[in-house]
């Protein structure tokens, strides 16, 4: 049997590493969930909380969740990869949401999406290597009268055509450069 002090030390070490990977508040939240007889039923809620803080679920964060909640790491990975709303990599500086709702689809959203993929060299759910853009699909942004619509950060761009895509991306590249200069990066 493992001596009590060793078990305690191991627990402390797990906790210390978990706080490094997560935050003290998230660790405390997971520890509360772990006391539940059905601790694993909190897994999705915990992953939402982690993603809300970090923007995505990294390996380090998922491992910490598995240890604190005492569920197999494979289960955490399985849940994180099964649900499309979990992201396993950081989002880009600009998140481009392409509306794939019916009104936008009928008005050519697919061609706009294809052009975005082509110009950025990524697929939906991916981020450009420079970390500038992530591409995501969404259902009806509530501005069907402007279809086809894309949203970058909080801004809506309506009546989009594939030919407008390069200039729109360039505008955001310049914006990023301007902001970096202002911040002295
Ligand atoms: S379907 Fe695209 S905004 Fe409604």
């Amino acid at each position: 049997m493992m001596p009590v002090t060793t078990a305690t030390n191991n627990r402390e070490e797990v906790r210390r590493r978990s706080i490094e990977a997560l935050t003290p508040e998230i660790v405390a939240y997971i520890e509360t969930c772990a006391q539940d007889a059905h601790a694993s039923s909190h897994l999705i809620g915990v992953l939402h909380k982690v993603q809300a803080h970090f923007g995505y679920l990294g390996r380090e964060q998922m491992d910490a969740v598995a240890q604190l909640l005492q569920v197999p790491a494979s289960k955490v990975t399985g849940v994180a990869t099964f649900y499309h709303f979990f992201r396993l990599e950081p989002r880009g500086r600009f998140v481009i949401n392409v509306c794939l709702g019916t009104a936008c689809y009928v008005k050519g959203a697919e061609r706009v999406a294809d052009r975005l993929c082509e110009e950025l060299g990524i697929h939906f759910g991916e981020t450009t290597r420079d970390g500038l853009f992530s591409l995501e699909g969404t259902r009806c942004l509530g501005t069907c009268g402007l279809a086809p619509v894309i949203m970058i950060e909080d801004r809506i761009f309506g009546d989009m055509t594939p030919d407008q895509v390069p200039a729109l991306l360039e505008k955001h590249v310049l914006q990023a450069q301007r902001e970096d200069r202002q911040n002295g990066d």
Side-chain angles (χ1 to χ4, degrees), residues 102-121:
T102 308
C104 288
Y105 191 84
V106 168
K107 292 267 194 106
E110 202 178 17
R111 285 185 291 118
V112 174
D114 286 347
R115 186 66 182 266
L116 279 163
C117 290
E118 189 186 313
E119 292 290 329
L120 296 171

Side-chain angles (χ1 to χ4, degrees), residues 4 6-16 68 70:
V4 176
T6 309
T8 306
N9 288 346
N10 284 348
R11 244 195 332 272
E12 283 308 309
E13 180 60 14
V14 166
R15 192 162 200 281
R16 190 186 63 74
L68 290 170
Q70 291 175 25

Side-chain angles (χ1 to χ4, degrees), residues 2-185:
M2 190 186 288
V4 176
T5 48
T6 309
T8 306
N9 288 346
N10 284 348
R11 244 195 332 272
E12 283 308 309
E13 180 60 14
V14 166
R15 192 162 200 281
R16 190 186 63 74
R17 284 212 225 127
S18 299
I19 287 174
E20 272 174 25
L22 301 166
T23 67
E25 293 74 26
I26 295 177
V27 168
Y29 173 74
I30 302 174
E31 283 173 338
T32 308
C33 296
Q35 287 165 13
D36 194 321
H38 304 286
S40 65
S41 67
H42 294 277
L43 180 54
I44 291 181
V46 165
L47 291 179
H48 271 300
K49 206 172 180 63
V50 173
Q51 179 163 285
H53 183 83
F54 293 96
Y56 74 108
L57 302 171
R59 184 70 268 161
E60 223 186 327
Q61 284 81 39
M62 289 197 285
D63 286 345
V65 167
Q67 289 209 297
L68 290 170
L69 213 49
Q70 291 175 25
V71 296
S74 57
K75 177 162 182 163
V76 177
T77 308
V79 168
T81 51
F82 180 78
Y83 293 103
H84 73 274
F85 43 75
F86 289 128
R87 296 185 59 84
L88 303 183
E89 58 177 47
R91 286 172 130 197
R93 185 152 163 184
F94 300 110
V95 178
I96 304 175
N97 258 299
V98 182
C99 179
L100 299 171
T102 308
C104 288
Y105 191 84
V106 168
K107 292 267 194 106
E110 202 178 17
R111 285 185 291 118
V112 174
D114 286 347
R115 186 66 182 266
L116 279 163
C117 290
E118 189 186 313
E119 292 290 329
L120 296 171
I122 57 174
H123 297 107
F124 276 78
E126 294 180 345
T127 298
T128 52
R129 270 179 192 229
D130 58 10
L132 262 192
F133 298 101
S134 291
L135 193 55
E136 297 183 356
T138 190
R139 296 282 162 197
C140 194
L141 290 163
T143 52
C144 307
L146 300 175
V149 172
I150 69 172
M151 186 166 79
I152 304 181
E153 300 301 286
D154 293 332
R155 286 194 63 197
I156 293 281
F157 298 88
D159 297 317
M160 282 296 299
T161 65
D163 289 344
Q164 289 173 332
V165 166
L168 190 57
L169 294 177
E170 180 63 16
K171 192 174 140 190
H172 285 81
V173 170
L174 294 174
Q175 180 187 327
Q177 288 171 347
R178 225 176 16 250
E179 287 170 1
D180 286 349
R181 270 199 304 277
Q182 279 165 4
N183 296 332
D185 290 348

